[in-house]
Every structure is written in C-alpha cells, then in structure tokens.
C-alpha cells in the first residue's frame, strides 16, 4: 500500500512502521516469538523424522515392512508404522494446542495488554 493509499484510507503508514519497529526491538516480543518458534520447530521435527524414517523404510526395506506381523495375519509392519506415524501427528497437534492454550496464549495476551497501541489491540 502506498503512502497516498494509506492517507486515503485514514491510516498513517509511518506510525504503523514506527510501532512495528519498536515491537521488533522489544525484548519481551522477541522472547515470545522465539518461544513459539522453538516449540514449532521441535514439533515439526517430531513429525518429520518418524515420517521420513517410514518413507526411507518403504523405499529401501519394502521386504521388511511388507512382512505380516503374525504368520497367518493380514496386518503388516508397514500398516503398523503408518498407524504410528498418524498417531504421532495427532499427538503432536494435541501437544501444540495444549501448549498454546496453557502457556503461549496467556503470555501473548499479557504482552498485548502491556504494550497495546490504542484501543484496537487484540486482547
């Protein structure tokens, strides 16, 4: 959005830029962003690594994962691995939701309350 468009819509782009600059320099805000980034990275790895292992096993050890669990059974090790990968993804999503609701959101709300710019702050 150009400065002319910003003036037409009634917002002052320079004030917004100054606010965003102050926000990016704020230690608490950087801590909050870092906390969220670390948790996201941890859970991404917790999902990607088991999935990657499953894909590699499928590619190079198909004979192992196609083996039935029991001699007369139809369920293979590959089916069990897929089930475990899916359960792992659901658990990671649940962990993130729990963490965000219990830990991250209260910190975010406190930060917004303490550092809100005017009445339009999302609290």
């Amino acid at each position: 959005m150009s400065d002319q468009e910003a003036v037409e819509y009634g917002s002052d782009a320079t004030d917004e830029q100054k606010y965003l600059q102050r926000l990016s320099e704020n230690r608490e805000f950087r801590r909050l962003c870092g906390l969220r980034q670390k948790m996201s990275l941890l859970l991404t790895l917790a999902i990607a690594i088991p999935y990657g292992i499953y894909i590699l096993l499928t590619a190079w050890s198909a004979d192992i994962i196609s083996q039935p669990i029991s001699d007369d059974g139809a369920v293979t090790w590959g089916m069990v691995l897929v089930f475990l990968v899916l359960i792992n993804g659901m658990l990671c999503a649940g962990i993130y939701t729990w963490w965000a609701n219990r830990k991250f959101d209260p910190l975010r709300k406190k930060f917004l309350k303490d550092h809100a710019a005017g009445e339009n702050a999302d609290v």
Side-chain angles (χ1 to χ4, degrees):
M1 178 181 285
S2 70
D3 289 339
Q4 180 62 30
E5 289 173 327
V7 170
E8 287 177 13
Y9 288 107
S11 68
D12 187 5
T14 58
D15 285 345
E16 184 177 332
Q17 289 171 350
K18 288 177 187 175
Y19 175 71
L20 292 174
Q21 179 67 29
R22 279 189 319 223
L23 193 59
S24 68
E25 294 171 355
N26 185 293
R27 174 184 273 166
E28 245 182 284
F29 182 74
R30 286 196 322 254
R31 183 179 152 263
L32 192 61
C33 290
L35 186 63
R36 192 182 96 203
Q37 188 175 27
K38 285 176 189 175
M39 187 60 151
S40 296
L41 180 63
L42 178 69
L43 290 174
T44 297
L45 290 174
I47 291 173
I49 289 172
Y51 181 72
I53 290 170
Y54 170 75
I55 294 298
L56 291 174
L57 283 173
T58 302
W60 287 310
S61 299
D63 54 331
I64 293 174
I65 65 170
S66 64
Q67 295 287 325
I69 292 177
S70 63
D71 290 335
D72 57 346
V75 177
T76 65
W77 286 107
M79 295 167 82
V80 171
L81 288 175
V82 165
F83 179 74
L84 292 174
V85 167
L86 289 172
I87 295 299
N88 179 53
M90 288 186 269
L91 285 173
C92 287
I95 289 168
Y96 181 79
T97 302
W98 174 84
W99 176 81
N101 288 337
R102 301 276 190 237
K103 306 287 184 183
F104 183 75
D105 284 348
L107 289 173
R108 182 187 62 85
K109 286 179 181 180
K110 180 185 180 309
F111 176 82
L112 288 174
K113 183 180 176 186
D114 293 345
H115 299 24
E119 297 178 14
N120 295 331
D122 174 24
V123 178

